[in-house]
Amino acid sequence: MNRADFRRGVRDVAPLLLGVAPFGLVAGIAAANAGLDLTQAVGMSVIVFAGASQLAALDLVGRDAPLSVVVLTAVVINLRMLMYSASIAPHFRTFAGRVKAGLAYLLTDQAYALSIASYRAEESVDRVAYYLGVAATLWVVWQLTTAAGVLLGTGVPDAWGLEFAVPLVFLALLVPAMEDGPTTVAGLAGGTIAVVGAGLPLNLGLLVGASVGIVAGLLAERPLEVDATDGH
């Protein structure tokens, strides 16, 4: 493995850690608010390792939602990873299956974006080394800040109202992502349905909202088809 490319990956991801660290702290606080102890919270963080879906799952766990709803909600929110995987897979096709499985586990939005940009800019880069420099750094920071968030959450009085941290983080993620028509439609549709469906049985409001948001965004992205033979 090329150490220089690994270090470059670490260096490139460093500025993004300023946003990842607070996110990890909130995930840890959310885990504490959901009743998880330090071992359970860190265990979930290590196994799941998915920011937005992890927060959504913790919110549902805290509301005693059925396990099937928790898992399905997390899967729906993480569907974008299928597209990331399909896009980045050709760059790793010559590696063994166990290596690709490890790389897939570390896949995140930031790791995908930085790696794809690097591969396109410089074909000679050691792809695994650079990817690990980015992804492994994100993983370590996420686990450490999640653990810190759990410790912080268990030591903060309920009167401080830290339960508002999770919806505030989701708002902070949502607003910048609504950068064009389809994403705005997806955000507004999903958010509206999630709020309206908050009282649905089994805490299905979030799952239904996420599903509706995805469908609405896809429909809004489809170009309008005009029949050239139509005289109207």
Side-chain angles (χ1 to χ4, degrees), residues 16 24 28-29 41 45 68-69 86 92 94 100 111 114 131 140 142 146 151 156-157 183 194-195 224:
L16 302 183
I29 292 171
S45 184
S68 58
V69 174
F92 301 131
T94 60
K100 289 187 283 189
L114 287 176
Y131 180 89
V140 170
W142 181 259
T146 298
L151 297 174
V156 172
T183 55
V195 171
L224 295 176

Side-chain angles (χ1 to χ4, degrees), residues 182 185-187 189-191 193 208-218:
V185 169
I193 297 300
V208 174
S211 302
V212 169
I214 291 172
V215 173
L218 290 174

